[in-house]
Amino acid sequence: MLDTVAQSPDIDALMNDIGRKARAASRPLAFASTENKNKALNAMADAILARKDHILAENTKDLKDVEGTDMLASFVDRLTLNDKRVAEMAEGIRAIAALPDPVGEVIAAWDRPNGLKIERVRTPLGVIGVIFESRPNVTADAGALCLKAGNAVILRCGSDSRRSSQAIHECLVEGLKAAGLPEHAIELVPVSDRAAVGAMLRGLEGNIDVIVPRGGKSLVARVQTEARVPVFAHLEGLCHIYVDASADLEMAKSIVVNAKMRRTGICGAAETLLVDKRVASTHLKPLLDGLAAAGCEIRASADVLKLAPGLKAATEEDWTTEYLAAIISVALVDGISGAIAHIDRYSSNHTEAVIAEDPAVVERFFTEIDSAILLHNASTQFADGGEFGMGAEIGIATGKMHARGPVGVEQLTSFKYRVRGTGQIRP
């Protein structure tokens, strides 16, 4: 179907039709019962497991298409599905089904002196547009999260993952039908033409309420430049780890290697290591040795090179680079003040970690650094909605609006006020 529809001469007409169908589907979803939504989600998970072989076969075709191209290894890793990752997709959907339903939740309530009773209540956003690149699992995560929060969603995957995403999308539609929910509640854009992205950014005749970009710098930059609807900003993951003088060295070694090397191509992978100058003589070499032993290339500042000659010198560009590869930049800093100054200058406000035993250091780190996720004595690889107990995520929002950090079901809602009176009039 994708190849056939991709020849359509009128992308705007196609996309606007998708927008209208999604808007129509969003209305019954806004008040769909928790039972029906959960029934759909569990049926989606069942369908994914039942069609695992088909999903993997389609993914093999997608991988075949990128063979011999200049696609980065990190993007190939994101594109790749296997038995474990398909099982995790299904588990993630079931975890979302098990979450409390956010729709209708009373966030706050208070009484006024005049007797009015006021409640702030969670409501769906409406129709969410998700534009993503090489991660086919986003199809499942975004579709399930939006459904749980009572939203319709329009998914536009990258051309490299189109077959995998289509196979997963078919499972999601099967789940919607099983629960009697509108099948257009989860739409997958059936064209690879980039004009479809432009149409979504223009809002599809007012039928998209918010855009969520999930991809590299060029995609995010285009979204932020062209979008005429609100955007949940998802910038790159330029994540830092600071090892303080008070850090336990063995803990620091374990965390640093995991944060960089567990999966180098995810947005929560550490890209810069900062080490307190006061322990450079005792901590630096063991940390560098641990990274090198794990296969990591180290790009060192001038003061690090003096203590560890032979490493590649870091340039100014290294401090602003999301490598998404087995490469890390390393610098010495003047304690927590130096770490805060470096992070403030170079961070993308995604995720930062501090390894320290001094409570005052941890408190300053948590108070003075303004990134979406801050960790103490833990790997940056925990920057993930599933690890936060959200079942899954659409992405890590790095902006400062209400959706910040892992975007889960609560972040995919807005709110309204319900005011109950007994005949009050305003004097």
Side-chain angles (χ1 to χ4, degrees):
M1 183 179 92
L2 286 170
D3 289 333
T4 301
V5 181
Q7 305 306 312
S8 171
D10 193 343
I11 298 298
D12 281 346
L14 170 68
M15 295 302 299
N16 288 336
D17 183 57
I18 289 173
R20 287 189 289 270
K21 289 176 179 176
R23 175 63 67 191
S26 73
R27 296 187 181 100
L29 279 191
F31 49 85
S33 70
T34 303
E35 180 183 7
N36 267 9
K37 289 189 287 188
N38 290 346
K39 181 179 179 180
L41 290 167
N42 284 310
M44 290 173 187
D46 290 342
I48 284 173
L49 294 177
R51 299 188 186 186
K52 179 189 71 174
D53 290 345
H54 174 61
I55 293 170
L56 292 178
E58 294 300 287
N59 185 244
T60 298
K61 295 176 186 176
D62 284 337
L63 289 169
K64 186 73 174 173
D65 283 348
V66 301
E67 281 184 8
T69 68
D70 59 358
M71 179 177 280
L72 295 173
S74 58
F75 284 90
V76 175
D77 176 63
R78 293 175 179 183
L79 175 59
T80 302
L81 296 177
N82 53 37
D83 286 350
K84 181 174 181 291
R85 291 183 180 182
V86 172
E88 287 172 347
M89 260 196 289
E91 290 168 11
I93 293 174
R94 294 197 200 283
I96 293 167
L99 293 172
D101 191 338
V103 180
E105 176 190 356
V106 177
I107 306 169
W110 61 96
D111 295 340
R112 296 292 295 145
N114 60 6
L116 291 177
K117 297 181 180 296
I118 303 175
E119 296 175 324
R120 186 184 301 132
V121 184
R122 289 196 190 279
T123 60
L125 291 170
V127 178
I128 299 174
V130 181
I131 304 170
F132 59 101
E133 292 179 337
S134 60
R135 291 181 183 267
N137 64 292
V138 174
T139 307
D141 293 348
L145 286 166
C146 289
L147 174 63
K148 183 75 177 198
N151 300 296
V153 61
I154 300 171
L155 304 166
R156 199 281 184 179
C157 67
S159 58
D160 47 24
S161 65
R162 63 190 184 89
R163 293 186 183 91
S164 309
S165 296
Q166 176 66 32
I168 295 166
H169 178 251
E170 290 167 359
C171 299
L172 305 186
V173 172
E174 184 175 319
L176 290 169
K177 290 179 177 178
L181 295 176
E183 64 182 274
H184 294 294
I186 303 176
E187 292 275 15
L188 180 67
V189 175
V191 295
S192 55
D193 194 316
R194 291 181 179 233
V197 173
M200 290 179 70
L201 298 180
R202 291 191 294 274
L204 303 185
E205 299 179 321
N207 285 313
I208 289 184
D209 295 291
V210 66
I211 288 283
V212 181
R214 180 85 180 264
K217 275 186 177 181
S218 60
L219 170 63
V220 173
R222 181 182 180 188
V223 169
Q224 292 183 320
T225 300
E226 297 182 22
R228 298 181 188 174
V229 293
V231 175
F232 288 172
H234 288 61
L235 298 181
E236 60 191 334
L238 195 63
C239 306
H240 298 75
I241 292 187
Y242 166 58
V243 177
D244 185 65
S246 67
D248 177 280
L249 179 56
E250 290 305 311
M251 177 191 293
K253 285 168 57 179
S254 174
I255 290 173
V256 167
V257 172
N258 180 268
K260 175 71 258 185
M261 299 300 292
R262 173 187 165 271
R263 282 189 68 184
T264 60
I266 66 173
C267 61
E271 306 293 13
T272 298
L273 169 63
L274 304 173
V275 180
D276 193 333
K277 288 180 178 178
R278 293 174 294 172
V279 289
S281 61
T282 56
H283 286 40
L284 182 61
K285 187 176 186 302
L287 292 170
L288 298 180
D289 288 348
L291 287 165
C296 186
E297 176 186 322
I298 297 163
R299 299 186 182 177
S301 64
D303 47 4
V304 171
L305 284 172
K306 290 178 183 177
L307 298 172
L311 296 176
K312 184 173 182 177
T315 66
E316 181 65 19
E317 184 180 3
D318 283 301
W319 310 118
T320 59
T321 298
E322 183 185 26
Y323 299 112
L324 299 174
I327 306 170
I328 195 168
S329 54
V330 183
L332 296 178
V333 292
D334 188 13
I336 181 63
S337 295
I340 291 170
H342 184 103
I343 293 169
D344 183 62
R345 179 176 179 183
Y346 294 110
S347 174
S348 62
N349 300 121
H350 189 292
T351 298
E352 329 293 351
V354 57
I355 315 303
E357 296 303 317
D358 184 341
V361 168
V362 178
E363 185 62 26
R364 280 199 65 192
F365 191 89
F366 278 179
T367 301
E368 297 184 35
I369 293 177
D370 193 31
S371 294
I373 302 172
L374 302 174
L375 300 112
H376 170 222
N377 288 351
S379 170
T380 58
Q381 300 255 342
F382 284 107
D384 175 86
E387 295 297 328
F388 275 40
M390 297 177 176
E393 65 178 39
I394 288 183
I396 306 291
T398 55
K400 296 189 179 182
M401 302 305 288
H402 85 283
R404 200 170 193 220
V407 177
V409 293
E410 289 185 2
Q411 291 72 32
L412 294 175
T413 60
S414 182
F415 57 82
K416 61 185 175 185
Y417 290 95
R418 299 193 302 215
V419 183
R420 304 179 192 276
T422 53
Q424 290 89 337
I425 60 172
R426 187 169 177 176

